Amino acid sequence: MVSAVFHSPLDTAPSGPAKPASARAAAVPAHAAAAETTLKATPKAPPRERIPFDWRGLWLRVLPPLIGLALLVGVWHLLTLKGGSFPSPAQTFDAAVRLFADPFYRKGPNDQGIGWNILSSLQRVGLGFGLAALVGIPLGFLLGRFEFLSRMVSPLVSLLRPVSPLAWLPIGLLVFKAANPAAIWTIFICSIWPMIINTAVGVQRVPVDYLNVARVLNLSEWKVITRILFPAVLPYMLTGVRLSVGTAWLVIVAAEMLTGGVGIGFWVWDEWNNLNVQHILIAIFVIGVVGLLLEQMLMAIARRFSFDD
């Protein structure tokens, strides 16, 4: 009879020599030391380089306008060296210092500081321009969206747009029987055309694929306008707004010269009646600065909502 003896694996002697306990205990710190050495040897990420300030770009933006302004003042000074009725730059500057020392005085309904006159003109511009935006932008959407309506209204826009702004002022005086609403009407009718035209052109340039997707999804006309047309047309619309506000500020000065009251245009005409040429020159610079600020503000808004690279 054959007998078999089974041995437990735990009872089997190791094939190699057994390590001493001290060697096994020393193996753990050795591995930890190796890991620590590896961590220390890993290079750290270099610090982010600080981008230097672009002084050259700043000078290229600031220096040319300053040189142009200095040339203008220099030519002005040379032309007034022999004296005469036209004031010199120094005389105009002294008058501006006295004028802006108290720009908000009130000495009567027709004798107010230049600050009140500027605010009155800006108020008229804001009202006329706001009404033009409320009417012109939706009308531009409709003209760009519906071809039949565009063919019906476009000839009227082409006919009325070239009319001089001041030609609309007597119509306003006839209808409203007052100077202030007539001036607002003139601003409204002259600043509405750029918004209508630019908005309509923007709607017409929306890719046809966008509108086809809207038809497939069975979107309502309101969702087509708010979700598809409005984001695509916004840069065109803001361009029309920028052109319109420049036209409105240009028109209000001429309209106020004819209607009177309080406003920068009336103030210029009143100073001419007083033969105060220094104040007229100051008003010209003020009108230009305010118009420039309005345009730059709207250009910044247009860049904020522009999708160009």
Side-chain angles (χ1 to χ4, degrees):
M1 184 173 67
V2 180
S3 64
V5 180
F6 296 95
H7 297 280
S8 173
L10 296 177
D11 297 335
T12 307
S15 59
K19 292 183 179 180
S22 59
R24 288 197 304 270
V28 175
H31 286 297
E36 185 178 356
T37 305
T38 304
L39 291 176
K40 289 182 179 180
T42 303
K44 294 182 178 180
R48 184 178 296 179
E49 295 183 1
R50 183 176 298 177
I51 301 175
F53 187 77
D54 189 8
W55 291 102
R56 184 174 180 274
L58 178 64
W59 278 111
L60 289 178
R61 289 193 301 267
V62 175
L63 191 60
L66 292 178
I67 293 176
L69 184 61
L71 287 176
L72 175 63
V73 175
V75 173
W76 180 8
H77 175 71
L78 292 176
L79 293 176
T80 56
L81 282 177
K82 296 182 179 180
S85 59
F86 203 85
S88 65
Q91 295 171 341
T92 306
F93 180 77
D94 294 338
V97 171
R98 294 191 299 269
L99 183 65
F100 287 102
D102 187 14
F104 293 101
Y105 72 87
R106 290 183 185 270
K107 296 181 180 178
N110 294 326
D111 188 8
Q112 301 183 18
I114 189 173
W116 294 117
N117 287 278
I118 294 173
L119 291 179
S120 297
S121 297
L122 286 174
Q123 183 182 11
R124 294 189 184 98
V125 168
L127 288 174
F129 174 77
L131 292 174
L134 288 176
V135 176
I137 293 176
L139 183 57
F141 270 99
L142 293 176
L143 295 182
R145 188 77 177 95
F146 303 105
E147 184 178 358
F148 178 80
L149 188 62
S150 176
R151 291 179 179 273
M152 183 176 66
V153 179
S154 293
L156 298 177
V157 174
S158 301
L159 176 67
L160 299 177
R161 184 173 61 89
V163 176
S164 173
L166 297 182
W168 295 102
L169 186 60
I171 305 299
L173 292 172
L174 176 65
V175 173
F176 299 106
K177 310 295 182 184
N180 192 52
I184 295 174
W185 151 258
T186 306
I187 295 170
F188 165 79
I189 199 66
C190 294
S191 58
I192 194 173
W193 311 122
M195 285 187 277
I196 292 177
I197 295 172
N198 281 272
T199 305
V201 170
V203 173
Q204 291 170 355
R205 291 188 178 181
V206 173
V208 182
D209 295 339
Y210 295 177
L211 302 178
N212 293 335
V213 171
R215 293 191 189 96
V216 171
L217 297 176
N218 198 21
L219 296 180
S220 64
E221 189 64 31
W222 174 251
K223 287 188 176 181
V224 170
I225 293 175
T226 56
R227 302 291 180 86
I228 297 177
L229 295 181
F230 184 77
V233 176
L234 190 58
Y236 294 91
M237 187 176 66
L238 291 175
T239 301
V241 168
R242 180 172 61 87
L243 296 175
S244 295
V245 77
T247 304
W249 185 244
L250 178 69
V251 169
I252 189 59
V253 177
E256 288 175 345
M257 286 184 178
L258 299 177
T259 58
V262 181
I264 191 64
F266 170 75
W267 191 81
V268 171
W269 192 251
D270 188 55
E271 295 301 321
W272 166 247
N273 292 331
N274 297 327
L275 297 178
N276 194 339
V277 184
Q278 297 173 359
H279 284 184
I280 294 175
L281 295 175
I282 294 169
I284 290 174
F285 279 102
V286 169
I287 292 169
V289 169
V290 173
L292 179 63
L293 291 176
L294 291 174
E295 183 179 3
Q296 292 298 320
M297 179 184 66
L298 292 173
M299 287 179 64
I301 296 174
R303 285 194 297 267
R304 170 64 179 83
F305 291 99
S306 178
F307 299 100
D308 296 336
D309 293 332

